[in-house]
PDB file of all heavy atoms in Angstrom:
ATOM      1  N   GLN X1058      31.900 284.549 213.302  1.00  0.00           N
ATOM      2  CA  GLN X1058      30.672 283.771 213.536  1.00  0.00           C
ATOM      3  C   GLN X1058      29.760 283.783 212.327  1.00  0.00           C
ATOM      4  O   GLN X1058      29.442 282.752 211.748  1.00  0.00           O
ATOM      5  CB  GLN X1058      29.908 284.352 214.735  1.00  0.00           C
ATOM      6  CG  GLN X1058      30.549 284.096 216.065  1.00  0.00           C
ATOM      7  CD  GLN X1058      29.608 284.457 217.228  1.00  0.00           C
ATOM      8  OE1 GLN X1058      28.487 284.883 217.033  1.00  0.00           O
ATOM      9  NE2 GLN X1058      30.070 284.268 218.436  1.00  0.00           N
ATOM     10  N   GLY X1059      29.314 284.995 211.951  1.00  0.00           N
ATOM     11  CA  GLY X1059      28.239 285.152 210.959  1.00  0.00           C
ATOM     12  C   GLY X1059      28.534 284.440 209.663  1.00  0.00           C
ATOM     13  O   GLY X1059      27.740 283.635 209.181  1.00  0.00           O
ATOM     14  N   GLY X1060      29.693 284.718 209.050  1.00  0.00           N
ATOM     15  CA  GLY X1060      30.054 284.017 207.837  1.00  0.00           C
ATOM     16  C   GLY X1060      30.711 284.873 206.781  1.00  0.00           C
ATOM     17  O   GLY X1060      31.304 285.906 207.064  1.00  0.00           O
ATOM     18  N   GLU X1126      22.430 289.603 207.300  1.00  0.00           N
ATOM     19  CA  GLU X1126      22.929 290.447 208.396  1.00  0.00           C
ATOM     20  C   GLU X1126      22.647 291.900 208.070  1.00  0.00           C
ATOM     21  O   GLU X1126      22.226 292.229 206.952  1.00  0.00           O
ATOM     22  CB  GLU X1126      24.437 290.207 208.592  1.00  0.00           C
ATOM     23  CG  GLU X1126      24.741 288.819 209.139  1.00  0.00           C
ATOM     24  CD  GLU X1126      26.221 288.531 209.271  1.00  0.00           C
ATOM     25  OE1 GLU X1126      27.041 289.452 209.172  1.00  0.00           O
ATOM     26  OE2 GLU X1126      26.557 287.351 209.459  1.00  0.00           O
ATOM     27  N   GLN X1252      34.898 299.974 213.882  1.00  0.00           N
ATOM     28  CA  GLN X1252      33.521 299.469 213.934  1.00  0.00           C
ATOM     29  C   GLN X1252      33.237 298.831 215.298  1.00  0.00           C
ATOM     30  O   GLN X1252      33.989 297.974 215.756  1.00  0.00           O
ATOM     31  CB  GLN X1252      33.317 298.431 212.834  1.00  0.00           C
ATOM     32  CG  GLN X1252      31.892 297.925 212.768  1.00  0.00           C
ATOM     33  CD  GLN X1252      31.673 297.058 211.537  1.00  0.00           C
ATOM     34  OE1 GLN X1252      32.156 295.933 211.487  1.00  0.00           O
ATOM     35  NE2 GLN X1252      30.984 297.584 210.561  1.00  0.00           N
ATOM     36  N   HIS X1254      30.727 296.438 217.198  1.00  0.00           N
ATOM     37  CA  HIS X1254      29.650 295.478 216.928  1.00  0.00           C
ATOM     38  C   HIS X1254      28.529 295.765 217.918  1.00  0.00           C
ATOM     39  O   HIS X1254      28.785 295.891 219.126  1.00  0.00           O
ATOM     40  CB  HIS X1254      30.148 294.040 217.084  1.00  0.00           C
ATOM     41  CG  HIS X1254      29.217 293.041 216.476  1.00  0.00           C
ATOM     42  ND1 HIS X1254      27.978 292.770 217.018  1.00  0.00           N
ATOM     43  CD2 HIS X1254      29.315 292.286 215.364  1.00  0.00           C
ATOM     44  CE1 HIS X1254      27.364 291.876 216.257  1.00  0.00           C
ATOM     45  NE2 HIS X1254      28.157 291.564 215.243  1.00  0.00           N
ATOM     46  N   LEU X1268      30.712 287.256 221.224  1.00  0.00           N
ATOM     47  CA  LEU X1268      29.855 287.891 220.219  1.00  0.00           C
ATOM     48  C   LEU X1268      28.515 287.170 220.084  1.00  0.00           C
ATOM     49  O   LEU X1268      28.460 285.942 220.119  1.00  0.00           O
ATOM     50  CB  LEU X1268      30.569 287.867 218.860  1.00  0.00           C
ATOM     51  CG  LEU X1268      29.859 288.628 217.743  1.00  0.00           C
ATOM     52  CD1 LEU X1268      30.012 290.124 217.936  1.00  0.00           C
ATOM     53  CD2 LEU X1268      30.407 288.230 216.387  1.00  0.00           C
ATOM     54  N   ILE X1269      27.452 287.951 219.945  1.00  0.00           N
ATOM     55  CA  ILE X1269      26.166 287.375 219.537  1.00  0.00           C
ATOM     56  C   ILE X1269      25.980 287.826 218.095  1.00  0.00           C
ATOM     57  O   ILE X1269      25.662 288.989 217.813  1.00  0.00           O
ATOM     58  CB  ILE X1269      24.982 287.887 220.405  1.00  0.00           C
ATOM     59  CG1 ILE X1269      25.275 287.722 221.904  1.00  0.00           C
ATOM     60  CG2 ILE X1269      23.693 287.182 219.993  1.00  0.00           C
ATOM     61  CD1 ILE X1269      25.328 286.299 222.427  1.00  0.00           C
ATOM     62  N   THR X1270      26.219 286.924 217.182  1.00  0.00           N
ATOM     63  CA  THR X1270      26.261 287.288 215.764  1.00  0.00           C
ATOM     64  C   THR X1270      25.017 288.040 215.293  1.00  0.00           C
ATOM     65  O   THR X1270      23.899 287.784 215.755  1.00  0.00           O
ATOM     66  CB  THR X1270      26.476 286.037 214.879  1.00  0.00           C
ATOM     67  OG1 THR X1270      26.373 286.433 213.507  1.00  0.00           O
ATOM     68  CG2 THR X1270      25.456 284.952 215.133  1.00  0.00           C
ATOM     69  N   GLU X1271      25.275 288.925 214.335  1.00  0.00           N
ATOM     70  CA  GLU X1271      24.194 289.700 213.746  1.00  0.00           C
ATOM     71  C   GLU X1271      23.186 288.791 213.031  1.00  0.00           C
ATOM     72  O   GLU X1271      22.027 289.158 212.827  1.00  0.00           O
ATOM     73  CB  GLU X1271      24.826 290.639 212.718  1.00  0.00           C
ATOM     74  CG  GLU X1271      24.113 291.917 212.528  1.00  0.00           C
ATOM     75  CD  GLU X1271      25.053 292.975 211.983  1.00  0.00           C
ATOM     76  OE1 GLU X1271      25.873 293.495 212.750  1.00  0.00           O
ATOM     77  OE2 GLU X1271      24.968 293.261 210.790  1.00  0.00           O
ATOM     78  N   ALA X1272      23.647 287.609 212.685  1.00  0.00           N
ATOM     79  CA  ALA X1272      22.762 286.650 212.012  1.00  0.00           C
ATOM     80  C   ALA X1272      21.567 286.294 212.901  1.00  0.00           C
ATOM     81  O   ALA X1272      20.507 285.895 212.400  1.00  0.00           O
ATOM     82  CB  ALA X1272      23.542 285.388 211.648  1.00  0.00           C
ATOM     83  N   ARG X1301      25.587 298.493 210.858  1.00  0.00           N
ATOM     84  CA  ARG X1301      26.087 298.451 212.238  1.00  0.00           C
ATOM     85  C   ARG X1301      26.298 299.796 212.916  1.00  0.00           C
ATOM     86  O   ARG X1301      26.089 299.930 214.112  1.00  0.00           O
ATOM     87  CB  ARG X1301      27.447 297.756 212.224  1.00  0.00           C
ATOM     88  CG  ARG X1301      27.298 296.349 212.522  1.00  0.00           C
ATOM     89  CD  ARG X1301      28.586 295.673 212.488  1.00  0.00           C
ATOM     90  NE  ARG X1301      28.240 294.316 212.121  1.00  0.00           N
ATOM     91  CZ  ARG X1301      29.097 293.379 211.883  1.00  0.00           C
ATOM     92  NH1 ARG X1301      30.376 293.636 211.956  1.00  0.00           N
ATOM     93  NH2 ARG X1301      28.694 292.184 211.569  1.00  0.00           N
ATOM     94  N   HIS X1362      35.192 296.135 217.398  1.00  0.00           N
ATOM     95  CA  HIS X1362      35.105 294.872 216.661  1.00  0.00           C
ATOM     96  C   HIS X1362      36.011 294.805 215.433  1.00  0.00           C
ATOM     97  O   HIS X1362      36.621 293.768 215.172  1.00  0.00           O
ATOM     98  CB  HIS X1362      33.647 294.693 216.241  1.00  0.00           C
ATOM     99  CG  HIS X1362      33.336 293.439 215.507  1.00  0.00           C
ATOM    100  ND1 HIS X1362      33.471 292.196 216.083  1.00  0.00           N
ATOM    101  CD2 HIS X1362      32.877 293.226 214.254  1.00  0.00           C
ATOM    102  CE1 HIS X1362      33.111 291.260 215.208  1.00  0.00           C
ATOM    103  NE2 HIS X1362      32.765 291.859 214.081  1.00  0.00           N
ATOM    104  N   ARG X1397      32.201 299.095 207.468  1.00  0.00           N
ATOM    105  CA  ARG X1397      32.218 297.805 206.768  1.00  0.00           C
ATOM    106  C   ARG X1397      30.851 297.137 206.801  1.00  0.00           C
ATOM    107  O   ARG X1397      30.208 297.051 207.854  1.00  0.00           O
ATOM    108  CB  ARG X1397      33.233 296.881 207.438  1.00  0.00           C
ATOM    109  CG  ARG X1397      33.261 295.478 206.864  1.00  0.00           C
ATOM    110  CD  ARG X1397      34.227 294.630 207.633  1.00  0.00           C
ATOM    111  NE  ARG X1397      33.782 294.446 208.995  1.00  0.00           N
ATOM    112  CZ  ARG X1397      33.381 293.290 209.510  1.00  0.00           C
ATOM    113  NH1 ARG X1397      33.381 292.198 208.777  1.00  0.00           N
ATOM    114  NH2 ARG X1397      32.994 293.208 210.763  1.00  0.00           N
ATOM    115  N   LEU X1398      30.444 296.639 205.668  1.00  0.00           N
ATOM    116  CA  LEU X1398      29.228 295.824 205.619  1.00  0.00           C
ATOM    117  C   LEU X1398      29.552 294.462 206.251  1.00  0.00           C
ATOM    118  O   LEU X1398      30.600 293.867 205.969  1.00  0.00           O
ATOM    119  CB  LEU X1398      28.800 295.646 204.162  1.00  0.00           C
ATOM    120  CG  LEU X1398      27.502 294.890 203.905  1.00  0.00           C
ATOM    121  CD1 LEU X1398      26.297 295.666 204.426  1.00  0.00           C
ATOM    122  CD2 LEU X1398      27.321 294.641 202.404  1.00  0.00           C
ATOM    123  N   ALA X1399      28.641 293.983 207.099  1.00  0.00           N
ATOM    124  CA  ALA X1399      28.870 292.729 207.814  1.00  0.00           C
ATOM    125  C   ALA X1399      29.299 291.603 206.870  1.00  0.00           C
ATOM    126  O   ALA X1399      28.792 291.481 205.755  1.00  0.00           O
ATOM    127  CB  ALA X1399      27.578 292.324 208.520  1.00  0.00           C
ATOM    128  N   SER X1400      30.237 290.808 207.343  1.00  0.00           N
ATOM    129  CA  SER X1400      30.709 289.601 206.644  1.00  0.00           C
ATOM    130  C   SER X1400      31.412 289.859 205.320  1.00  0.00           C
ATOM    131  O   SER X1400      31.627 288.941 204.532  1.00  0.00           O
ATOM    132  CB  SER X1400      29.569 288.583 206.469  1.00  0.00           C
ATOM    133  OG  SER X1400      29.286 288.014 207.736  1.00  0.00           O
ATOM    134  N   ASN X1401      31.793 291.115 205.081  1.00  0.00           N
ATOM    135  CA  ASN X1401      32.576 291.412 203.880  1.00  0.00           C
ATOM    136  C   ASN X1401      34.075 291.239 204.097  1.00  0.00           C
ATOM    137  O   ASN X1401      34.839 291.264 203.136  1.00  0.00           O
ATOM    138  CB  ASN X1401      32.332 292.864 203.432  1.00  0.00           C
ATOM    139  CG  ASN X1401      31.295 292.969 202.317  1.00  0.00           C
ATOM    140  OD1 ASN X1401      30.788 291.955 201.838  1.00  0.00           O
ATOM    141  ND2 ASN X1401      30.987 294.173 201.900  1.00  0.00           N
ATOM    142  N   SER X1402      34.501 291.074 205.374  1.00  0.00           N
ATOM    143  CA  SER X1402      35.949 291.102 205.585  1.00  0.00           C
ATOM    144  C   SER X1402      36.640 289.778 205.272  1.00  0.00           C
ATOM    145  O   SER X1402      37.752 289.767 204.742  1.00  0.00           O
ATOM    146  CB  SER X1402      36.285 291.538 207.007  1.00  0.00           C
ATOM    147  OG  SER X1402      35.466 290.891 207.927  1.00  0.00           O
TER     148      SER X1402
HETATM  149  C1  SIN I2284      28.694 288.753 213.113  1.00  0.00           C
HETATM  150  O1  SIN I2284      28.579 287.543 212.966  1.00  0.00           O
HETATM  151  O2  SIN I2284      27.797 289.472 213.536  1.00  0.00           O
HETATM  152  C2  SIN I2284      29.983 289.381 212.749  1.00  0.00           C
HETATM  153  C3  SIN I2284      30.070 289.502 211.289  1.00  0.00           C
HETATM  154  C4  SIN I2284      31.162 290.428 210.905  1.00  0.00           C
HETATM  155  O3  SIN I2284      31.791 291.055 211.747  1.00  0.00           O
HETATM  156  O4  SIN I2284      31.367 290.557 209.693  1.00  0.00           O
END
Side-chain angles (χ1 to χ4, degrees):
Q1058 288 191 1
E1126 291 177 13
Q1252 184 171 73
H1254 195 290
L1268 186 74
I1269 308 291
T1270 174
E1271 210 156 284
R1301 265 179 208 175
H1362 182 64
R1397 176 183 65 113
L1398 183 67
S1400 288
N1401 262 357
S1402 44

